[in-house]
């Protein structure tokens, strides 16, 4: 009772610790109202309570009159209460800002993406039908152009012939889709992806790459370099335990299933089919850098073929009137990029991925670098696991 009278009834700022209890109650109520009742997604409330708590406790530590009667137990309790009040407020901030809010946001995005995907499957089943109607791929089904060392004009002609040859030789196996591009659009898209693939391969084969992480190709190595046109770009090289053709077929034929095994991708949806080796997809990327980089969506033109002993999938962003920017996501830009696969040994494939993305938005460069580098390594880890399931 004497302690109650001293701490509560006869409260003074300099001699009582009861206000630390009231400060905790203030934080609890202030955080409970916006985050639990109103489901706020902003960290400003927890930042505000932490600021108030820190200023209050700083003044408390300076002005508090510690027990001078020689009672060591009371002094230790006072120290513990004051220190724990500061520590707890900062732990709340860390958990809310870096753990709770990013996790809730990620789960909400996955839920929304799943609902949109389910609604799309109910209203438009042709993408699924097109996957089922696509014939199995074999080595004979690919076209590899003859290598030419002629001048640039002849090389451009070869590229154009290669682009149209794939559609001409495989027209009988053309995939059914309710949103088939017109002939003029198809010609434009094939011109765009041919040039993007040329640029991406040229970048991937260039010199002056700097190692970011990794020790060898078995573990996986991430390289980076700065370019005048695109800024900083990344390249992942690795050896994976699966044959090249099986992995290539899975990446091409089962693109819409990628979110099931790759947590960095929330959704992949086919929007339009250009020809039997080219299509436009809508991709939603998960947030990165521990939630500091929000989700991005992309409208991507992708193409696949076998070229000079490589299995290639190239990609670049395009504008599609039927898929304007989504208000929930920042529309990113996929600049010329490519994934190349090559057989190196029995059930082993060498993979090279050139990642060339502009995440848009007002982001510090170090956050962009951290997010993109993390995407590469996370992708590799999950791709290895997925490849293991394909070989079972």
């Amino acid at each position: 009772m004497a302690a109650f009278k001293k701490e509560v009834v006869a409260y003074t700022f300099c001699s009582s610790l009861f206000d630390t209890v009231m400060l905790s109650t203030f934080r609890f109520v202030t955080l409970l109202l916006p985050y639990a009742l109103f489901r706020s997604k902003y960290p400003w409330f927890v930042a505000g309570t932490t600021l108030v708590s820190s200023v209050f406790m700083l003044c408390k530590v300076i002005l508090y009159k510690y027990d001078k009667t020689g009672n060591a137990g009371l002094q230790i309790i006072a120290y513990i209460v004051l220190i724990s009040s500061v520590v707890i407020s900062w732990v709340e901030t860390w958990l809310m800002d870096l753990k709770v809010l990013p996790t809730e946001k990620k789960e909400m995005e996955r839920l929304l993406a799943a609902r949109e995907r389910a609604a799309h499957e109910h209203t438009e089943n042709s993408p699924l039908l097109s996957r089922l109607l696509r014939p199995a791929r074999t080595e004979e089904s690919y076209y590899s152009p003859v290598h030419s060392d002629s001048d640039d004009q002849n090389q451009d002609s070869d590229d154009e012939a290669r682009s149209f040859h794939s559609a001409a030789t495989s027209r009988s196996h053309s995939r059914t889709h309710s949103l088939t591009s017109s002939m003029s659009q198809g010609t434009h898209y094939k011109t765009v992806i041919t040039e993007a693939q040329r640029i991406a391969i040229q970048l991937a084969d260039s010199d002056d790459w700097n190692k970011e992480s990794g020790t060898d190709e078995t573990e996986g190595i991430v390289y980076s370099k700065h370019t005048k046109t695109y800024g900083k770009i990344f390249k992942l090289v690795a050896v994976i335990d699966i044959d090249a053709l099986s992995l290539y077929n899975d990446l091409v034929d089962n693109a819409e299933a990628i979110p099931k095994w790759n947590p960095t991708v929330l959704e992949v949806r086919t929007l339009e089919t250009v020809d039997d080796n080219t299509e436009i997809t809508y991709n939603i990327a998960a947030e990165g850098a521990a939630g500091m980089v929000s989700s991005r969506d992309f409208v991507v033109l992708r193409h696949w073929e076998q070229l000079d002993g490589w299995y290639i999938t190239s990609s670049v962003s395009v504008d599609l009137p039927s898929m304007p920017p989504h208000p929930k996501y920042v529309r990113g830009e996929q600049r010329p990029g490519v994934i190349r696969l090559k057989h190196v040994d029995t059930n082993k494939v060498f993979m090279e991925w050139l990642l060339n993305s502009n995440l848009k938005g007002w982001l510090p460069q170090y956050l962009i670098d951290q997010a993109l580098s993390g995407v590469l390594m996370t992708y590799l880890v999950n791709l290895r696991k997925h490849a293991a399931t394909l070989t079972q």
Side-chain angles (χ1 to χ4, degrees), residues 222-242:
V222 175
Y223 295 97
S224 68
K225 70 177 296 184
H226 287 274
T227 64
K228 294 182 180 180
T229 305
Y230 303 112
K232 191 170 186 179
I233 59 177
F234 294 85
K235 181 172 69 171
L236 170 68
V237 296
V239 174
I240 303 174
D241 294 331
I242 189 175

mmCIF file with all atom_site columns, all heavy atoms in Angstrom, residues 222-242:
data_model
loop_
_atom_site.group_PDB
_atom_site.id
_atom_site.type_symbol
_atom_site.label_atom_id
_atom_site.label_alt_id
_atom_site.label_comp_id
_atom_site.label_asym_id
_atom_site.label_entity_id
_atom_site.label_seq_id
_atom_site.pdbx_PDB_ins_code
_atom_site.Cartn_x
_atom_site.Cartn_y
_atom_site.Cartn_z
_atom_site.occupancy
_atom_site.B_iso_or_equiv
_atom_site.pdbx_formal_charge
_atom_site.auth_seq_id
_atom_site.auth_comp_id
_atom_site.auth_asym_id
_atom_site.auth_atom_id
_atom_site.pdbx_PDB_model_num
ATOM 1   N N   . VAL A 1 222 ? 26.542 -14.182 -58.994 1.00 0.00 ? 222 VAL A N   1
ATOM 2   C CA  . VAL A 1 222 ? 25.855 -12.987 -59.468 1.00 0.00 ? 222 VAL A CA  1
ATOM 3   C C   . VAL A 1 222 ? 26.899 -11.947 -59.851 1.00 0.00 ? 222 VAL A C   1
ATOM 4   O O   . VAL A 1 222 ? 27.763 -11.594 -59.041 1.00 0.00 ? 222 VAL A O   1
ATOM 5   C CB  . VAL A 1 222 ? 24.907 -12.411 -58.402 1.00 0.00 ? 222 VAL A CB  1
ATOM 6   C CG1 . VAL A 1 222 ? 24.298 -11.089 -58.885 1.00 0.00 ? 222 VAL A CG1 1
ATOM 7   C CG2 . VAL A 1 222 ? 23.797 -13.401 -58.081 1.00 0.00 ? 222 VAL A CG2 1
ATOM 8   N N   . TYR A 1 223 ? 26.824 -11.472 -61.094 1.00 0.00 ? 223 TYR A N   1
ATOM 9   C CA  . TYR A 1 223 ? 27.710 -10.424 -61.585 1.00 0.00 ? 223 TYR A CA  1
ATOM 10  C C   . TYR A 1 223 ? 26.895 -9.153  -61.825 1.00 0.00 ? 223 TYR A C   1
ATOM 11  O O   . TYR A 1 223 ? 25.667 -9.193  -61.972 1.00 0.00 ? 223 TYR A O   1
ATOM 12  C CB  . TYR A 1 223 ? 28.362 -10.844 -62.905 1.00 0.00 ? 223 TYR A CB  1
ATOM 13  C CG  . TYR A 1 223 ? 29.299 -12.022 -62.811 1.00 0.00 ? 223 TYR A CG  1
ATOM 14  C CD1 . TYR A 1 223 ? 28.856 -13.308 -63.116 1.00 0.00 ? 223 TYR A CD1 1
ATOM 15  C CD2 . TYR A 1 223 ? 30.624 -11.847 -62.447 1.00 0.00 ? 223 TYR A CD2 1
ATOM 16  C CE1 . TYR A 1 223 ? 29.702 -14.395 -63.051 1.00 0.00 ? 223 TYR A CE1 1
ATOM 17  C CE2 . TYR A 1 223 ? 31.491 -12.929 -62.383 1.00 0.00 ? 223 TYR A CE2 1
ATOM 18  C CZ  . TYR A 1 223 ? 31.033 -14.198 -62.683 1.00 0.00 ? 223 TYR A CZ  1
ATOM 19  O OH  . TYR A 1 223 ? 31.882 -15.275 -62.617 1.00 0.00 ? 223 TYR A OH  1
ATOM 20  N N   . SER A 1 224 ? 27.598 -8.037  -61.898 1.00 0.00 ? 224 SER A N   1
ATOM 21  C CA  . SER A 1 224 ? 26.946 -6.775  -62.228 1.00 0.00 ? 224 SER A CA  1
ATOM 22  C C   . SER A 1 224 ? 27.913 -5.917  -63.032 1.00 0.00 ? 224 SER A C   1
ATOM 23  O O   . SER A 1 224 ? 29.129 -6.123  -63.004 1.00 0.00 ? 224 SER A O   1
ATOM 24  C CB  . SER A 1 224 ? 26.519 -6.024  -60.964 1.00 0.00 ? 224 SER A CB  1
ATOM 25  O OG  . SER A 1 224 ? 27.652 -5.578  -60.242 1.00 0.00 ? 224 SER A OG  1
ATOM 26  N N   . LYS A 1 225 ? 27.345 -4.969  -63.759 1.00 0.00 ? 225 LYS A N   1
ATOM 27  C CA  . LYS A 1 225 ? 28.149 -3.989  -64.479 1.00 0.00 ? 225 LYS A CA  1
ATOM 28  C C   . LYS A 1 225 ? 27.299 -2.761  -64.766 1.00 0.00 ? 225 LYS A C   1
ATOM 29  O O   . LYS A 1 225 ? 26.066 -2.841  -64.789 1.00 0.00 ? 225 LYS A O   1
ATOM 30  C CB  . LYS A 1 225 ? 28.709 -4.579  -65.781 1.00 0.00 ? 225 LYS A CB  1
ATOM 31  C CG  . LYS A 1 225 ? 27.646 -4.841  -66.854 1.00 0.00 ? 225 LYS A CG  1
ATOM 32  C CD  . LYS A 1 225 ? 28.279 -5.364  -68.143 1.00 0.00 ? 225 LYS A CD  1
ATOM 33  C CE  . LYS A 1 225 ? 29.195 -4.358  -68.780 1.00 0.00 ? 225 LYS A CE  1
ATOM 34  N NZ  . LYS A 1 225 ? 29.736 -4.820  -70.070 1.00 0.00 ? 225 LYS A NZ  1
ATOM 35  N N   . HIS A 1 226 ? 27.972 -1.637  -64.975 1.00 0.00 ? 226 HIS A N   1
ATOM 36  C CA  . HIS A 1 226 ? 27.281 -0.399  -65.318 1.00 0.00 ? 226 HIS A CA  1
ATOM 37  C C   . HIS A 1 226 ? 27.372 -0.173  -66.819 1.00 0.00 ? 226 HIS A C   1
ATOM 38  O O   . HIS A 1 226 ? 28.439 -0.327  -67.420 1.00 0.00 ? 226 HIS A O   1
ATOM 39  C CB  . HIS A 1 226 ? 27.900 0.784   -64.563 1.00 0.00 ? 226 HIS A CB  1
ATOM 40  C CG  . HIS A 1 226 ? 27.570 0.811   -63.113 1.00 0.00 ? 226 HIS A CG  1
ATOM 41  N ND1 . HIS A 1 226 ? 26.423 1.401   -62.613 1.00 0.00 ? 226 HIS A ND1 1
ATOM 42  C CD2 . HIS A 1 226 ? 28.227 0.290   -62.032 1.00 0.00 ? 226 HIS A CD2 1
ATOM 43  C CE1 . HIS A 1 226 ? 26.393 1.272   -61.300 1.00 0.00 ? 226 HIS A CE1 1
ATOM 44  N NE2 . HIS A 1 226 ? 27.474 0.607   -60.920 1.00 0.00 ? 226 HIS A NE2 1
ATOM 45  N N   . THR A 1 227 ? 26.241 0.178   -67.409 1.00 0.00 ? 227 THR A N   1
ATOM 46  C CA  . THR A 1 227 ? 26.202 0.488   -68.829 1.00 0.00 ? 227 THR A CA  1
ATOM 47  C C   . THR A 1 227 ? 25.688 1.913   -69.015 1.00 0.00 ? 227 THR A C   1
ATOM 48  O O   . THR A 1 227 ? 24.938 2.429   -68.180 1.00 0.00 ? 227 THR A O   1
ATOM 49  C CB  . THR A 1 227 ? 25.284 -0.486  -69.594 1.00 0.00 ? 227 THR A CB  1
ATOM 50  O OG1 . THR A 1 227 ? 23.926 -0.332  -69.139 1.00 0.00 ? 227 THR A OG1 1
ATOM 51  C CG2 . THR A 1 227 ? 25.714 -1.929  -69.346 1.00 0.00 ? 227 THR A CG2 1
ATOM 52  N N   . LYS A 1 228 ? 26.076 2.526   -70.101 1.00 0.00 ? 228 LYS A N   1
ATOM 53  C CA  . LYS A 1 228 ? 25.642 3.895   -70.375 1.00 0.00 ? 228 LYS A CA  1
ATOM 54  C C   . LYS A 1 228 ? 24.141 3.957   -70.658 1.00 0.00 ? 228 LYS A C   1
ATOM 55  O O   . LYS A 1 228 ? 23.467 4.911   -70.283 1.00 0.00 ? 228 LYS A O   1
ATOM 56  C CB  . LYS A 1 228 ? 26.423 4.457   -71.561 1.00 0.00 ? 228 LYS A CB  1
ATOM 57  C CG  . LYS A 1 228 ? 27.910 4.649   -71.291 1.00 0.00 ? 228 LYS A CG  1
ATOM 58  C CD  . LYS A 1 228 ? 28.608 5.246   -72.508 1.00 0.00 ? 228 LYS A CD  1
ATOM 59  C CE  . LYS A 1 228 ? 30.097 5.436   -72.241 1.00 0.00 ? 228 LYS A CE  1
ATOM 60  N NZ  . LYS A 1 228 ? 30.803 6.007   -73.417 1.00 0.00 ? 228 LYS A NZ  1
ATOM 61  N N   . THR A 1 229 ? 23.634 2.931   -71.308 1.00 0.00 ? 229 THR A N   1
ATOM 62  C CA  . THR A 1 229 ? 22.223 2.962   -71.723 1.00 0.00 ? 229 THR A CA  1
ATOM 63  C C   . THR A 1 229 ? 21.273 2.566   -70.612 1.00 0.00 ? 229 THR A C   1
ATOM 64  O O   . THR A 1 229 ? 20.240 3.203   -70.399 1.00 0.00 ? 229 THR A O   1
ATOM 65  C CB  . THR A 1 229 ? 22.011 2.026   -72.928 1.00 0.00 ? 229 THR A CB  1
ATOM 66  O OG1 . THR A 1 229 ? 22.911 2.393   -73.971 1.00 0.00 ? 229 THR A OG1 1
ATOM 67  C CG2 . THR A 1 229 ? 20.576 2.114   -73.425 1.00 0.00 ? 229 THR A CG2 1
ATOM 68  N N   . TYR A 1 230 ? 21.607 1.515   -69.856 1.00 0.00 ? 230 TYR A N   1
ATOM 69  C CA  . TYR A 1 230 ? 20.668 0.945   -68.889 1.00 0.00 ? 230 TYR A CA  1
ATOM 70  C C   . TYR A 1 230 ? 21.090 1.096   -67.437 1.00 0.00 ? 230 TYR A C   1
ATOM 71  O O   . TYR A 1 230 ? 20.360 0.658   -66.547 1.00 0.00 ? 230 TYR A O   1
ATOM 72  C CB  . TYR A 1 230 ? 20.470 -0.551  -69.181 1.00 0.00 ? 230 TYR A CB  1
ATOM 73  C CG  . TYR A 1 230 ? 19.992 -0.818  -70.588 1.00 0.00 ? 230 TYR A CG  1
ATOM 74  C CD1 . TYR A 1 230 ? 20.807 -1.449  -71.521 1.00 0.00 ? 230 TYR A CD1 1
ATOM 75  C CD2 . TYR A 1 230 ? 18.722 -0.428  -70.988 1.00 0.00 ? 230 TYR A CD2 1
ATOM 76  C CE1 . TYR A 1 230 ? 20.370 -1.699  -72.817 1.00 0.00 ? 230 TYR A CE1 1
ATOM 77  C CE2 . TYR A 1 230 ? 18.269 -0.668  -72.278 1.00 0.00 ? 230 TYR A CE2 1
ATOM 78  C CZ  . TYR A 1 230 ? 19.108 -1.295  -73.185 1.00 0.00 ? 230 TYR A CZ  1
ATOM 79  O OH  . TYR A 1 230 ? 18.669 -1.531  -74.456 1.00 0.00 ? 230 TYR A OH  1
ATOM 80  N N   . GLY A 1 231 ? 22.242 1.683   -67.180 1.00 0.00 ? 231 GLY A N   1
ATOM 81  C CA  . GLY A 1 231 ? 22.692 1.774   -65.803 1.00 0.00 ? 231 GLY A CA  1
ATOM 82  C C   . GLY A 1 231 ? 23.232 0.434   -65.327 1.00 0.00 ? 231 GLY A C   1
ATOM 83  O O   . GLY A 1 231 ? 23.909 -0.280  -66.068 1.00 0.00 ? 231 GLY A O   1
ATOM 84  N N   . LYS A 1 232 ? 22.917 0.065   -64.101 1.00 0.00 ? 232 LYS A N   1
ATOM 85  C CA  . LYS A 1 232 ? 23.436 -1.177  -63.532 1.00 0.00 ? 232 LYS A CA  1
ATOM 86  C C   . LYS A 1 232 ? 22.564 -2.357  -63.938 1.00 0.00 ? 232 LYS A C   1
ATOM 87  O O   . LYS A 1 232 ? 21.342 -2.330  -63.778 1.00 0.00 ? 232 LYS A O   1
ATOM 88  C CB  . LYS A 1 232 ? 23.506 -1.089  -62.010 1.00 0.00 ? 232 LYS A CB  1
ATOM 89  C CG  . LYS A 1 232 ? 24.290 -2.228  -61.361 1.00 0.00 ? 232 LYS A CG  1
ATOM 90  C CD  . LYS A 1 232 ? 24.541 -1.957  -59.887 1.00 0.00 ? 232 LYS A CD  1
ATOM 91  C CE  . LYS A 1 232 ? 25.453 -3.022  -59.274 1.00 0.00 ? 232 LYS A CE  1
ATOM 92  N NZ  . LYS A 1 232 ? 25.733 -2.759  -57.841 1.00 0.00 ? 232 LYS A NZ  1
ATOM 93  N N   . ILE A 1 233 ? 23.192 -3.399  -64.464 1.00 0.00 ? 233 ILE A N   1
ATOM 94  C CA  . ILE A 1 233 ? 22.495 -4.627  -64.845 1.00 0.00 ? 233 ILE A CA  1
ATOM 95  C C   . ILE A 1 233 ? 23.163 -5.793  -64.131 1.00 0.00 ? 233 ILE A C   1
ATOM 96  O O   . ILE A 1 233 ? 24.294 -5.686  -63.650 1.00 0.00 ? 233 ILE A O   1
ATOM 97  C CB  . ILE A 1 233 ? 22.507 -4.844  -66.373 1.00 0.00 ? 233 ILE A CB  1
ATOM 98  C CG1 . ILE A 1 233 ? 23.951 -4.931  -66.892 1.00 0.00 ? 233 ILE A CG1 1
ATOM 99  C CG2 . ILE A 1 233 ? 21.753 -3.713  -67.064 1.00 0.00 ? 233 ILE A CG2 1
ATOM 100 C CD1 . ILE A 1 233 ? 24.049 -5.214  -68.378 1.00 0.00 ? 233 ILE A CD1 1
ATOM 101 N N   . PHE A 1 234 ? 22.453 -6.926  -64.076 1.00 0.00 ? 234 PHE A N   1
ATOM 102 C CA  . PHE A 1 234 ? 22.935 -8.093  -63.335 1.00 0.00 ? 234 PHE A CA  1
ATOM 103 C C   . PHE A 1 234 ? 22.931 -9.332  -64.230 1.00 0.00 ? 234 PHE A C   1
ATOM 104 O O   . PHE A 1 234 ? 22.136 -9.431  -65.174 1.00 0.00 ? 234 PHE A O   1
ATOM 105 C CB  . PHE A 1 234 ? 22.053 -8.352  -62.110 1.00 0.00 ? 234 PHE A CB  1
ATOM 106 C CG  . PHE A 1 234 ? 22.111 -7.273  -61.066 1.00 0.00 ? 234 PHE A CG  1
ATOM 107 C CD1 . PHE A 1 234 ? 21.303 -6.144  -61.163 1.00 0.00 ? 234 PHE A CD1 1
ATOM 108 C CD2 . PHE A 1 234 ? 22.974 -7.368  -59.995 1.00 0.00 ? 234 PHE A CD2 1
ATOM 109 C CE1 . PHE A 1 234 ? 21.343 -5.144  -60.219 1.00 0.00 ? 234 PHE A CE1 1
ATOM 110 C CE2 . PHE A 1 234 ? 23.027 -6.373  -59.022 1.00 0.00 ? 234 PHE A CE2 1
ATOM 111 C CZ  . PHE A 1 234 ? 22.218 -5.259  -59.141 1.00 0.00 ? 234 PHE A CZ  1
ATOM 112 N N   . LYS A 1 235 ? 23.809 -10.253 -63.883 1.00 0.00 ? 235 LYS A N   1
ATOM 113 C CA  . LYS A 1 235 ? 23.862 -11.525 -64.603 1.00 0.00 ? 235 LYS A CA  1
ATOM 114 C C   . LYS A 1 235 ? 24.100 -12.654 -63.607 1.00 0.00 ? 235 LYS A C   1
ATOM 115 O O   . LYS A 1 235 ? 24.994 -12.584 -62.781 1.00 0.00 ? 235 LYS A O   1
ATOM 116 C CB  . LYS A 1 235 ? 24.973 -11.516 -65.660 1.00 0.00 ? 235 LYS A CB  1
ATOM 117 C CG  . LYS A 1 235 ? 25.057 -12.823 -66.450 1.00 0.00 ? 235 LYS A CG  1
ATOM 118 C CD  . LYS A 1 235 ? 26.035 -12.717 -67.628 1.00 0.00 ? 235 LYS A CD  1
ATOM 119 C CE  . LYS A 1 235 ? 27.461 -12.603 -67.170 1.00 0.00 ? 235 LYS A CE  1
ATOM 120 N NZ  . LYS A 1 235 ? 28.427 -12.712 -68.318 1.00 0.00 ? 235 LYS A NZ  1
ATOM 121 N N   . LEU A 1 236 ? 23.264 -13.681 -63.694 1.00 0.00 ? 236 LEU A N   1
ATOM 122 C CA  . LEU A 1 236 ? 23.393 -14.876 -62.860 1.00 0.00 ? 236 LEU A CA  1
ATOM 123 C C   . LEU A 1 236 ? 23.870 -16.032 -63.716 1.00 0.00 ? 236 LEU A C   1
ATOM 124 O O   . LEU A 1 236 ? 23.310 -16.292 -64.785 1.00 0.00 ? 236 LEU A O   1
ATOM 125 C CB  . LEU A 1 236 ? 22.043 -15.227 -62.221 1.00 0.00 ? 236 LEU A CB  1
ATOM 126 C CG  . LEU A 1 236 ? 21.950 -16.581 -61.505 1.00 0.00 ? 236 LEU A CG  1
ATOM 127 C CD1 . LEU A 1 236 ? 22.813 -16.593 -60.255 1.00 0.00 ? 236 LEU A CD1 1
ATOM 128 C CD2 . LEU A 1 236 ? 20.503 -16.909 -61.149 1.00 0.00 ? 236 LEU A CD2 1
ATOM 129 N N   . VAL A 1 237 ? 24.910 -16.723 -63.270 1.00 0.00 ? 237 VAL A N   1
ATOM 130 C CA  . VAL A 1 237 ? 25.373 -17.928 -63.950 1.00 0.00 ? 237 VAL A CA  1
ATOM 131 C C   . VAL A 1 237 ? 25.387 -19.061 -62.935 1.00 0.00 ? 237 VAL A C   1
ATOM 132 O O   . VAL A 1 237 ? 25.776 -18.875 -61.777 1.00 0.00 ? 237 VAL A O   1
ATOM 133 C CB  . VAL A 1 237 ? 26.771 -17.739 -64.578 1.00 0.00 ? 237 VAL A CB  1
ATOM 134 C CG1 . VAL A 1 237 ? 26.721 -16.682 -65.661 1.00 0.00 ? 237 VAL A CG1 1
ATOM 135 C CG2 . VAL A 1 237 ? 27.804 -17.362 -63.533 1.00 0.00 ? 237 VAL A CG2 1
ATOM 136 N N   . ALA A 1 238 ? 24.959 -20.236 -63.347 1.00 0.00 ? 238 ALA A N   1
ATOM 137 C CA  . ALA A 1 238 ? 24.875 -21.372 -62.436 1.00 0.00 ? 238 ALA A CA  1
ATOM 138 C C   . ALA A 1 238 ? 24.767 -22.658 -63.236 1.00 0.00 ? 238 ALA A C   1
ATOM 139 O O   . ALA A 1 238 ? 24.384 -22.655 -64.411 1.00 0.00 ? 238 ALA A O   1
ATOM 140 C CB  . ALA A 1 238 ? 23.676 -21.236 -61.495 1.00 0.00 ? 238 ALA A CB  1
ATOM 141 N N   . VAL A 1 239 ? 25.111 -23.759 -62.588 1.00 0.00 ? 239 VAL A N   1
ATOM 142 C CA  . VAL A 1 239 ? 24.930 -25.099 -63.141 1.00 0.00 ? 239 VAL A CA  1
ATOM 143 C C   . VAL A 1 239 ? 23.860 -25.791 -62.313 1.00 0.00 ? 239 VAL A C   1
ATOM 144 O O   . VAL A 1 239 ? 23.936 -25.820 -61.080 1.00 0.00 ? 239 VAL A O   1
ATOM 145 C CB  . VAL A 1 239 ? 26.239 -25.904 -63.116 1.00 0.00 ? 239 VAL A CB  1
ATOM 146 C CG1 . VAL A 1 239 ? 25.980 -27.345 -63.563 1.00 0.00 ? 239 VAL A CG1 1
ATOM 147 C CG2 . VAL A 1 239 ? 27.283 -25.254 -64.012 1.00 0.00 ? 239 VAL A CG2 1
ATOM 148 N N   . ILE A 1 240 ? 22.842 -26.337 -62.990 1.00 0.00 ? 240 ILE A N   1
ATOM 149 C CA  . ILE A 1 240 ? 21.695 -26.943 -62.317 1.00 0.00 ? 240 ILE A CA  1
ATOM 150 C C   . ILE A 1 240 ? 21.585 -28.406 -62.728 1.00 0.00 ? 240 ILE A C   1
ATOM 151 O O   . ILE A 1 240 ? 21.854 -28.768 -63.878 1.00 0.00 ? 240 ILE A O   1
ATOM 152 C CB  . ILE A 1 240 ? 20.401 -26.193 -62.682 1.00 0.00 ? 240 ILE A CB  1
ATOM 153 C CG1 . ILE A 1 240 ? 20.543 -24.711 -62.323 1.00 0.00 ? 240 ILE A CG1 1
ATOM 154 C CG2 . ILE A 1 240 ? 19.195 -26.788 -61.963 1.00 0.00 ? 240 ILE A CG2 1
ATOM 155 C CD1 . ILE A 1 240 ? 19.376 -23.864 -62.766 1.00 0.00 ? 240 ILE A CD1 1
ATOM 156 N N   . ASP A 1 241 ? 21.180 -29.235 -61.790 1.00 0.00 ? 241 ASP A N   1
ATOM 157 C CA  . ASP A 1 241 ? 21.104 -30.684 -62.019 1.00 0.00 ? 241 ASP A CA  1
ATOM 158 C C   . ASP A 1 241 ? 19.805 -31.055 -62.722 1.00 0.00 ? 241 ASP A C   1
ATOM 159 O O   . ASP A 1 241 ? 18.831 -31.511 -62.100 1.00 0.00 ? 241 ASP A O   1
ATOM 160 C CB  . ASP A 1 241 ? 21.231 -31.439 -60.697 1.00 0.00 ? 241 ASP A CB  1
ATOM 161 C CG  . ASP A 1 241 ? 22.600 -31.265 -60.061 1.00 0.00 ? 241 ASP A CG  1
ATOM 162 O OD1 . ASP A 1 241 ? 23.567 -31.074 -60.808 1.00 0.00 ? 241 ASP A OD1 1
ATOM 163 O OD2 . ASP A 1 241 ? 22.693 -31.303 -58.818 1.00 0.00 ? 241 ASP A OD2 1
ATOM 164 N N   . ILE A 1 242 ? 19.761 -30.845 -64.019 1.00 0.00 ? 242 ILE A N   1
ATOM 165 C CA  . ILE A 1 242 ? 18.636 -31.241 -64.856 1.00 0.00 ? 242 ILE A CA  1
ATOM 166 C C   . ILE A 1 242 ? 19.081 -31.076 -66.304 1.00 0.00 ? 242 ILE A C   1
ATOM 167 O O   . ILE A 1 242 ? 19.969 -30.283 -66.594 1.00 0.00 ? 242 ILE A O   1
ATOM 168 C CB  . ILE A 1 242 ? 17.382 -30.368 -64.574 1.00 0.00 ? 242 ILE A CB  1
ATOM 169 C CG1 . ILE A 1 242 ? 16.155 -30.920 -65.282 1.00 0.00 ? 242 ILE A CG1 1
ATOM 170 C CG2 . ILE A 1 242 ? 17.641 -28.927 -64.934 1.00 0.00 ? 242 ILE A CG2 1
ATOM 171 C CD1 . ILE A 1 242 ? 14.869 -30.184 -64.959 1.00 0.00 ? 242 ILE A CD1 1
#
